[in-house]
Amino acid sequence: MGKIFFFIEAKDGELKKISYELANVARQLGEEVCGIFFSPSASIPEGINGLGASRIFSFTAQHGIYACEVIALELVKLIEMEKPDFILFGQTPMGRDLSARLSATLGIGYLNDITGLRKQNGGFIFTKPLYAGKIISEFVFTSPSPSVITVRPNIFNADVQSVSEVNVDTREVNFSSARAIVKEIIAKPVGMVDLKEADIIISGGRGLGDPKGFDVLFDFAKAVGAAVGASRAVVDSGWIDHSHQVGQTGKTVNPSLYIACGISGAIQHLAGMRTSKCIVAINNNPTAPIFKIADYGIVGDLYEVIPLLKRELLKIRGNPQG
Amino acid sequence: MNIAVIVKEVPDTEARLSVKDGEIDFGGVGYVINPFDDYALEEALRIKDAKNDVFVYVVMVGRESATKNLLNCLALGADEAILVTELSIENLDPHAIAKVLANVINPISPQIIFAGKQGVDYDWGLTGIALSVELGLPHVGVVKKFEPNFAEGTFRAFSESDEGDLLYEGKLPAVVTAEKGLNEPRYASLKGIMGAKKKPLKQLSFMEIGLSQDTLGSFLSKVKIVSLSEPPERKPGRIIEGETIEEKVVGLVKALHEEAKVI
Ligand SMILES: Cc1cc2nc3c(=O)[nH]c(=O)nc-3n(C[C@H](O)[C@H](O)[C@H](O)COP(=O)(O)OP(=O)(O)OC[C@H]3O[C@@H](n4cnc5c(N)ncnc54)[C@H](O)[C@@H]3O)c2cc1C
Ligand SMILES: Nc1ncnc2c1ncn2[C@@H]1O[C@H](COP(=O)(O)O)[C@@H](O)[C@H]1O
């Protein structure tokens, strides 16, 4: 009873953390859990058995990298055949794009960016933050299944659950009819930690005083394995790319540790990071609003604090050289 | 050539919201055009500035009071604004909004429809894409650079992904949803503000755009809110004291390790 599909994502041949998280959410929603995977190259990522899905529908394509419209139509066919109750995606760039097109194409219920779920009277109630987290709502579906859901990364557990055998059903999609198609990926520099999946984020704001200040943050991030975030003020000044912006018009993140350096704590910034497990603020102004929501604060010059923080963090991890 | 921009109103991002008697209290909250829609409109206006035969429509399904924000869209340079109002709009989900928008936009036959990547209210990120499905068009989402080629009827677009920037190629007409960074929105000039009052700002009901009561019945939302609450307050934190910065940092790392247990 209860068939659940979830969309697997991988990067550089490795499963992303969100894929494990989705598998775990899927197991809470139903008994039969099946993965959907798309990759132009047809290569199944390592460790696919660890998702606990014994069936995987794998889509491959030639003549292009990604075409939402075409993949969505293939998924429609699959869903009409298999009749799952839910189709889960990560709230990631590809997950958002495909899930929205899929739900619109089928005209079925859609709930995105969910951060929780619970059972009630045999049905499910889903938590979804609204208004940049100022309000928390709970939703139910009122339409018949199937329904489409996207799940916020870094919230649900990512436990591995192994199955001994995975049955991979490979299908080819044809992009020749696509009217919008990805032709190229301009790869990011390697070794950058994804903000949405990061365990530690160090973010810089106008308090850096200079675009070069980000060198200090990147140095810290590299040493401790963190991702680098930013306030809108410094993105708008062109100090760092928008892909690093945290907040209402940037990314919503929820790492274990968020370190805000030279960020005042505007409501639109808080919107993107307030669900972090632990927030540290480093600011030379003791009255900066960021201290109101920070778990720990240091009043001081960030340029003095960050190198020491790097040293002490590495020390406590037993890796003093970095 | 026509370009349509779909825009929605959202509460001012500065606003503090609370829940009273199970409902969100919007008392005293001002409404603005969704920030991502500012980029959508600006992109349309830049195309208009660069070409001479472009007519920019701004279309919204919203409340009557939205005329004020729509007037500002006209002041910025849009040629015509269309506001579809109906009492029941509060109960419409993005699929239904997209159906209503499709009824307005179909007769306009725009070459491009710009939308925001998401509304900063419910963060659906669905309406633009659902509209493209309704219109039978392709879409490109979360665009941070857009290069149309009207002579060829094609476009190139750049969009962000976890792997890097995606280079899209496609055919017009298409729906494009705007990411921050696509451009820098302009401010309305005095001349623009004066001129806006002379531009058409049409208010239409569902009936007037050809939607019958029956079709409306099929627009029932597929999801329903069962509870609203305010997020739990974060526990008050503490400032780590110390004689020197070094002492403070040592204290902080100790706290992160022993109390918060995050490192
Ligand atoms: C529609 C809309 C959407 C928005 N979306 C976002 C968003 O997504 N994300 C976002 O971040 N903002 C957003 N904003 C902007 C937001 O309102 C603030 O303007 C912005 O967050 C401020 O950035 P900041 O904290 O870096 O700069 P400031 O507010 O200027 O703060 C700089 C801080 O650095 C401190 N400082 C200075 N020197 C030092 C030093 N040497 N060491 C330590 N501290 C120092 C100062 O005390 C100050 O607190 C949005 C605004 C609007 C209107
Ligand atoms: N009621 C509406 N009227 C016109 N455009 C809308 C409406 N709702 C959403 N949109 C457009 O669709 C985008 C995404 O909105 P949403 O799906 O609500 O996140 C917005 O940025 C607008 O461009």
Side-chain angles (χ1 to χ4, degrees), chain B residues 6-8 34 37 59-61 97 115-116 118-119 124-128:
Chain B
I6 57 169
V7 300
K8 84 186 294 188
N34 179 37
D37 305 354
V59 186
M60 182 194 287
V61 180
I97 301 272
Q118 72 197 58
W124 290 125
L126 181 55
T127 312

Side-chain angles (χ1 to χ4, degrees), chain A residues 205-207 230-234 245-250 262-266 268-269 282-285 288 300-303, chain B residues 13-14 35:
Chain A
R206 194 140 45 196
S231 75
R232 169 165 168 177
V234 291
Q245 184 181 319
V246 171
Q248 191 153 24
T249 48
I263 292 178
S264 60
Q268 298 95 345
H269 188 80
I282 302 167
N283 199 302
N284 61 7
N285 176 359
D301 179 6
L302 65 95
Y303 287 104
Chain B
T13 57
E14 292 282 344

Side-chain angles (χ1 to χ4, degrees), chain A:
Chain A
M1 242 210 59
K3 192 190 277 184
I4 316 296
F5 280 10
F6 69 100
F7 189 77
I8 300 165
E9 288 189 51
K11 188 177 173 183
D12 305 326
E14 270 182 52
L15 289 171
K16 285 195 205 166
K17 197 165 153 230
I18 183 70
S19 301
Y20 294 98
E21 293 164 7
L22 290 173
N24 279 297
V25 174
R27 277 191 284 275
Q28 292 185 51
L29 293 172
E31 267 107 70
E32 194 187 344
V33 169
C34 308
I36 307 171
F37 182 62
F38 169 76
S39 149
S41 67
S43 56
I44 298 286
E46 289 279 320
I48 197 100
N49 293 44
L51 293 173
S54 49
R55 273 170 90 200
I56 307 265
F57 298 94
S58 169
F59 293 89
T60 72
Q62 287 167 2
H63 314 299
I65 294 165
Y66 173 79
C68 185
E69 188 191 355
V70 180
I71 302 172
L73 287 174
E74 285 301 321
L75 293 182
V76 167
K77 278 191 233 160
L78 178 67
I79 288 159
E80 282 172 350
M81 278 281 296
E82 295 282 334
K83 304 198 173 13
D85 288 341
F86 293 102
I87 308 108
L88 309 179
F89 294 83
Q91 178 76 356
T92 59
M94 204 201 277
R96 299 161 70 133
D97 199 48
L98 258 181
S99 62
R101 184 106 198 172
L102 178 66
S103 90
T105 307
L106 279 167
I108 57 179
Y110 187 69
L111 266 185
N112 65 343
D113 207 16
I114 67 144
T115 58
L117 72 100
R118 62 189 175 93
K119 241 187 184 145
Q120 197 181 60
N121 304 335
F124 291 96
I125 298 184
F126 300 92
T127 311
K128 172 173 161 65
L130 306 180
Y131 302 98
K134 291 174 195 170
I135 302 287
I136 306 297
S137 69
E138 288 188 310
F139 271 93
V140 293
F141 286 98
T142 50
S143 54
S145 64
S147 304
V148 176
I149 292 174
T150 85
V151 174
R152 183 177 290 192
N154 244 358
I155 300 267
F156 292 90
N157 90 58
D159 293 351
V160 174
Q161 177 163 330
S162 290
V163 285
S164 52
E165 210 175 316
V166 179
N167 183 336
V168 181
D169 176 343
T170 305
R171 295 152 188 235
E172 187 149 329
V173 295
N174 186 345
F175 283 166
S176 61
S177 63
R179 295 171 294 175
I181 185 164
V182 174
K183 287 286 186 178
E184 201 183 312
I185 300 180
I186 299 135
K188 275 191 194 155
V190 286
M192 295 251 279
V193 182
D194 195 323
L195 266 180
K196 288 210 145 203
E197 296 199 345
D199 204 37
I200 303 180
I201 294 176
I202 183 157
S203 274
R206 194 140 45 196
L208 290 173
D210 189 281
K212 286 205 202 72
F214 274 104
D215 294 348
V216 179
L217 300 196
F218 276 107
D219 170 69
F220 176 95
K222 215 173 137 205
V224 309
V228 174
S231 75
R232 169 165 168 177
V234 291
V235 169
D236 285 358
S237 306
W239 296 4
I240 189 165
D241 187 70
H242 172 68
S243 58
H244 293 272
Q245 184 181 319
V246 171
Q248 191 153 24
T249 48
K251 294 197 164 67
T252 307
V253 298
N254 36 50
S256 302
L257 177 58
Y258 188 90
I259 309 169
C261 310
I263 292 178
S264 60
I267 192 164
Q268 298 95 345
H269 188 80
L270 304 186
M273 42 66 86
R274 61 177 299 154
T275 56
S276 305
K277 196 164 160 221
C278 179
I279 298 172
V280 169
I282 302 167
N283 199 302
N284 61 7
N285 176 359
T287 63
I290 187 85
F291 286 125
K292 287 210 191 82
I293 68 131
D295 299 287
Y296 302 105
I298 288 189
V299 178
D301 179 6
L302 65 95
Y303 287 104
E304 278 183 64
V305 175
I306 295 171
L308 290 169
L309 186 58
K310 174 178 138 190
R311 191 189 75 192
E312 291 302 313
L313 272 178
L314 293 177
K315 210 190 268 176
I316 212 154
R317 286 184 178 171
N319 179 11
Q321 299 85 288

Side-chain angles (χ1 to χ4, degrees), chain B residues 117-135:
Chain B
K117 78 158 179 181
Q118 72 197 58
V120 301
D121 45 8
Y122 281 30
D123 289 331
W124 290 125
L126 181 55
T127 312
I129 296 176
L131 175 62
S132 73
V133 172
E134 289 298 327
L135 296 171

